[in-house]
Amino acid sequence: MRLRNVPGSREVIAENEYVVHDEQSMKGQWASVFGNDRPIHVEIGMGKGSFLMEMARRNPEINYLGIEKYSSVLLRAIEKHEEAPELTNLKFIRMDAEEIEEVFAPGEIDYIYLNFSDPWPKDRHAKRRLTSDRFLNRYQRLLAPGGGVTFKTDNVDLFDFSVESAKECGWEQLAISRDLHNSPYAEGNVMTEYETKFSGLGNKICMLKIVPPRA
């Protein structure tokens, strides 16, 4: 389970330089946050930030934004970032993914990562899954031409749902694996905290790369 109650976490976040505050006012102006017009890649539900930090380290020519709604989890990412202040191409946002179209303008995001998202296993909660048609349609509006989504999970049911959801929404499948670490796509793969944990338990990691339908 994720930590959700760390005393003082909201106060730390409110004052931290690595967190973008009043994020809705940045809609259409995210280039100004980084001071350049480099591509913007977003991870929705970034957890403790290990994946994004490594991506930012490997790709200094790309700007990274991590979205996390739980203050106590975001606090862990902040603590890690403070140990690597040289990563000026990485910022965080505390927000719910439901608000994504209030924060980004159409075409403002170049790529989206969904890593080990909440599976919302009950059928009545399917629309909350980050790979549901509701969210895929939002991503399609927000992605710049040539942009796409990479999704990873160890939850087979969620993966099957996601593959079918993308198909029904007309997204093109660029890559798929039900055993990522033993596939040709393993090279260059950056692991998340959950990925390390679950693969260590013997769980196979599923991966899907998709791009929205062309207009």
Side-chain angles (χ1 to χ4, degrees):
M1 294 292 291
R2 287 182 169 182
L3 296 172
R4 301 190 183 184
N5 297 299
V6 174
S9 59
R10 287 180 178 267
E11 290 76 10
V12 172
I13 290 168
E15 300 175 357
N16 193 267
E17 62 180 309
Y18 301 126
V19 180
V20 178
H21 308 288
D22 193 17
E23 62 275 2
Q24 292 188 9
S25 68
M26 295 294 102
K27 183 176 181 177
Q29 303 180 59
W30 281 98
S32 67
V33 172
F34 293 97
N36 59 62
D37 59 358
R38 296 169 184 164
I40 294 176
H41 290 199
V42 175
E43 183 182 10
I44 302 176
M46 68 169 186
K48 298 175 184 177
S50 293
F51 172 82
L52 269 197
M53 288 192 66
E54 182 59 25
M55 292 294 286
R57 186 174 289 111
R58 293 188 185 189
N59 306 289
E61 75 284 1
I62 295 174
N63 294 323
Y64 290 92
L65 281 167
I67 292 174
E68 177 54 53
K69 69 177 179 179
Y70 296 119
S71 296
S72 55
V73 180
L74 176 54
L75 181 61
R76 303 310 183 207
I78 289 172
E79 290 170 347
K80 291 180 180 180
H81 200 336
E82 288 176 341
E83 297 176 359
E86 71 276 7
L87 298 179
T88 57
N89 59 328
L90 173 61
K91 299 287 186 181
F92 304 136
I93 313 170
R94 192 187 72 78
M95 59 173 278
D96 192 302
E98 289 284 353
E99 303 170 4
I100 193 166
E101 287 194 283
E102 303 301 318
V103 175
F104 297 98
E108 196 168 25
I109 299 175
D110 291 273
Y111 208 86
I112 293 172
Y113 301 96
L114 307 173
N115 292 317
F116 298 85
S117 308
D118 192 328
W120 292 102
K122 296 182 179 179
D123 289 342
R124 69 175 183 271
H125 294 152
K127 67 180 182 180
R128 298 187 182 184
R129 298 169 190 162
L130 294 183
T131 51
S132 68
D133 58 350
R134 290 175 65 242
F135 278 99
L136 289 178
N137 290 335
R138 291 170 178 171
Y139 306 153
Q140 183 174 349
R141 290 188 287 269
L142 296 177
L143 284 169
V149 173
T150 293
F151 169 65
K152 291 194 290 186
T153 184
D154 72 320
N155 187 304
V156 175
D157 289 338
L158 177 60
F159 190 70
D160 290 342
F161 168 87
S162 303
V163 171
E164 187 60 28
S165 179
K167 180 179 178 181
E168 291 178 354
C169 291
W171 286 58
E172 179 184 354
Q173 179 180 296
L174 297 184
I176 184 171
S177 176
R178 295 179 181 274
D179 189 5
L180 172 60
H181 296 174
N182 292 299
S183 78
Y185 307 115
E187 184 177 356
N189 175 58
V190 174
M191 295 176 64
T192 74
E193 295 98 343
Y194 281 123
E195 187 171 356
T196 299
K197 175 183 177 180
F198 295 145
S199 61
L201 294 173
N203 297 1
K204 292 183 179 179
I205 306 302
C206 302
M207 183 275 295
L208 178 68
K209 290 186 178 183
I210 52 177
V211 294
R214 298 176 182 176

